[in-house]
């Protein structure tokens, strides 16, 4: 969606100095590579131990990690391209933008599903194994991707139907609004975002408040449960900010016309990079089971080195 890196990179009429451009690119590349390396370790740990891929919670988590890696990779490519190649062939740009939109829209939906799973595990523990099976979890992941595709692919179909063939052979600055520019697309986007906002936040508020209430009454590990919920909520808040980025960009252009690119860069870090660094903290560090096996992987890697 518009909060993808395709939409937060530097805008045509606002260009950075050479030093500032290099600094921003170095920061983005270093952060992205660091996050992907950490996530690669999480994926390796997941694949090596059966205890994880037979548990719906960890399956949803690793799907989120893989999705984040894809999103970060596309994000960094688009960011660097905006400062180097500058313009891309429309057909290639469409592929990058579609991948960015799919992965960005998947994240809030995946987190909402993780919230429901957490709610079932804490509030309905006796039925958790019956409800959250591996088969149903995989079907849920398929539903997440189907929902994202139904939301994003109409942009491509409308563009194919309305734009001449020569348009797809031209070169543009790779932004969603530059390749999917039909007015109908913007109306569809606004309606879709409103629906997403309402549904996802209803799910989040209901499940998290029920979990908080249960954690307080149960007492056991209540502090850790509340902290985990707060981290999930913070991550969701940042991810859901992607839905309001089009409005935020217009506001930033009016409020900070002289520092517009700096404002966009800060928004990019907060909305795109920061949420992808929270998942390893929640499950790679704070989750006792995952931390135990992750330590074995890290110790084994150090020993081999």
């Amino acid at each position: 969606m518009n909060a993808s890196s395709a939409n937060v990179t530097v805008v045509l009429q606002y260009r950075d100095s050479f030093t500032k451009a290099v600094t921003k690119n170095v920061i983005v590349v270093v952060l992205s590579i660091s996050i992907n390396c950490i996530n690669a370790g999480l994926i390796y740990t997941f694949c090596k131990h059966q205890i994880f891929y037979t548990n719906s919670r960890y399956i949803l988590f690793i799907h989120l990690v893989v999705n984040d890696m894809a999103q970060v990779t596309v994000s960094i490519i688009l960011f660097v391209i905006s400062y180097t190649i500058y313009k891309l062939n429309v057909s290639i740009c469409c592929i990058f933008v579609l991948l960015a939109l799919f992965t960005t829209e998947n994240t809030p939906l995946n987190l909402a599903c993780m919230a429901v799973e957490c709610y079932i595990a804490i509030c309905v523990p006796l039925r958790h194994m019956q409800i959250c099976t591996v088969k149903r979890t995989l079907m849920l992941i398929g539903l997440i991707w189907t929902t994202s595709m139904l939301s994003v692919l109409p942009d491509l179909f409308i563009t194919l139907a309305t734009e001449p063939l020569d348009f797809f052979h031209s070169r543009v600055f790779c932004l969603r609004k530059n390749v999917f520019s039909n007015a109908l697309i913007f109306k569809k986007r606004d309606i879709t975002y409103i629906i997403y906002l309402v549904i996802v936040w209803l799910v989040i508020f209901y499940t998290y408040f029920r979990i908080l209430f249960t954690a307080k009454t149960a007492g056991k590990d209540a502090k850790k449960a509340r902290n985990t919920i707060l981290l999930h909520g913070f991550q969701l808040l940042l991810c859901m900010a992607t839905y309001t980025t089009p409005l935020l960009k217009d506001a930033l252009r009016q409020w900070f016309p002289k520092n517009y690119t700096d404002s966009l860069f800060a928004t990019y870090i907060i909305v795109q990079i920061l949420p992808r660094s929270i998942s390893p903290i929640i499950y790679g560090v704070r989750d006792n089971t995952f931390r135990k096996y992750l330590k074995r992987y890290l110790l084994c890697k150090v020993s081999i080195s």
Side-chain angles (χ1 to χ4, degrees):
M1 51 182 58
N2 273 25
S4 67
S5 62
N7 222 15
V8 293
T9 51
V10 69
V11 182
L12 294 176
Q13 64 266 38
Y14 299 93
R15 301 301 296 175
D16 287 323
S17 64
F18 177 77
T19 303
K20 184 179 287 187
V22 171
T23 302
K24 289 181 178 179
N25 277 270
V26 169
I27 292 173
V28 169
V29 170
V30 170
L31 287 175
S32 301
I33 292 176
S34 301
I35 291 173
N36 276 351
C37 286
I38 294 171
N39 285 340
L42 296 176
I43 294 173
Y44 179 85
T45 304
F46 173 86
C47 295
K48 285 293 182 179
H49 301 94
Q50 187 178 1
I51 189 175
F52 295 128
Y53 51 80
T54 56
N55 186 305
S56 59
R57 177 176 302 175
Y58 296 113
I59 294 174
L60 286 172
F61 164 65
I62 216 64
H63 173 255
L64 179 65
V65 170
V66 172
N67 186 81
D68 285 350
M69 288 187 69
Q71 196 279 334
V72 169
T73 302
V74 174
S75 175
I76 185 177
I77 292 173
L78 288 174
F79 192 93
V80 173
I81 284 176
S82 71
Y83 282 92
T84 53
I85 301 176
Y86 193 64
K87 288 187 177 182
L88 272 182
N89 178 274
V90 170
S91 300
I92 298 175
C93 181
C94 283
I95 295 173
F96 280 123
V97 171
L98 287 173
L99 287 173
L101 296 176
F102 286 143
T103 53
T104 303
E105 290 201 7
N106 281 345
T107 300
L109 297 176
N110 199 107
L111 289 171
C113 293
M114 293 175 73
V116 173
E117 188 280 331
C118 191
Y119 161 76
I120 295 172
I122 294 177
C123 301
V124 198
L126 298 180
R127 299 189 59 191
H128 180 263
M129 295 298 294
Q130 297 176 344
I131 299 175
C132 301
T133 62
V134 173
K135 183 179 179 179
R136 289 179 178 176
T137 304
L138 295 177
M139 291 174 62
L140 189 60
I141 292 174
L143 181 61
I144 291 173
W145 277 93
T146 301
T147 303
S148 297
M149 288 181 180
L150 290 176
S151 172
V152 173
L153 287 181
D155 294 4
L156 177 62
F157 297 148
I158 292 172
T159 303
L160 288 171
T162 57
E163 295 290 346
L165 185 61
D166 292 343
F167 171 72
F168 295 93
H169 297 290
S170 62
R171 295 171 64 87
V172 296
F173 187 74
C174 196
L175 292 170
R176 180 185 185 180
K177 66 180 181 181
N178 290 341
V179 291
F180 302 135
S181 57
N182 190 284
L184 183 62
I185 293 176
F186 293 105
K187 293 180 181 179
K188 187 271 301 178
R189 180 199 66 187
D190 293 337
I191 295 173
T192 302
Y193 287 2
I194 291 172
I195 295 174
Y196 269 44
L197 278 171
V198 172
I199 294 176
V200 174
W201 275 117
L202 283 176
V203 171
I204 297 309
F205 278 124
Y206 176 78
T207 55
Y208 281 154
F209 277 113
R210 287 295 302 270
I211 292 170
L212 280 172
F213 178 77
T214 304
K216 288 179 180 179
T217 55
K220 184 179 180 181
D221 294 329
K223 184 177 180 180
K224 184 176 180 180
R226 288 195 295 267
N227 290 338
T228 301
I229 292 167
L230 289 175
L231 285 171
H232 270 305
F234 178 61
Q235 185 180 17
L236 271 162
L237 183 63
L238 292 176
C239 291
M240 293 298 289
T242 59
Y243 294 96
T244 60
T245 299
L247 297 176
L248 181 60
K249 284 184 61 182
D250 293 336
L252 289 173
R253 186 180 292 111
Q254 295 177 2
W255 296 342
F256 308 105
K258 295 182 180 180
N259 303 104
Y260 182 55
T261 57
D262 296 333
S263 302
L264 289 180
F265 180 72
T267 304
Y268 171 76
I269 296 295
I270 294 172
V271 175
Q272 294 296 321
I273 301 297
L274 188 57
R276 275 79 199 175
S277 65
I278 297 177
S279 295
I281 296 175
I282 297 178
Y283 283 93
V285 178
R286 299 186 73 254
D287 184 87
N288 293 330
T289 305
F290 211 101
R291 184 174 67 246
K292 180 178 67 175
Y293 288 97
L294 185 61
K295 281 183 179 179
R296 293 181 184 178
Y297 160 71
L298 293 174
L299 290 174
C300 179
K301 189 173 182 179
V302 170
S303 300
I304 294 174
S305 299

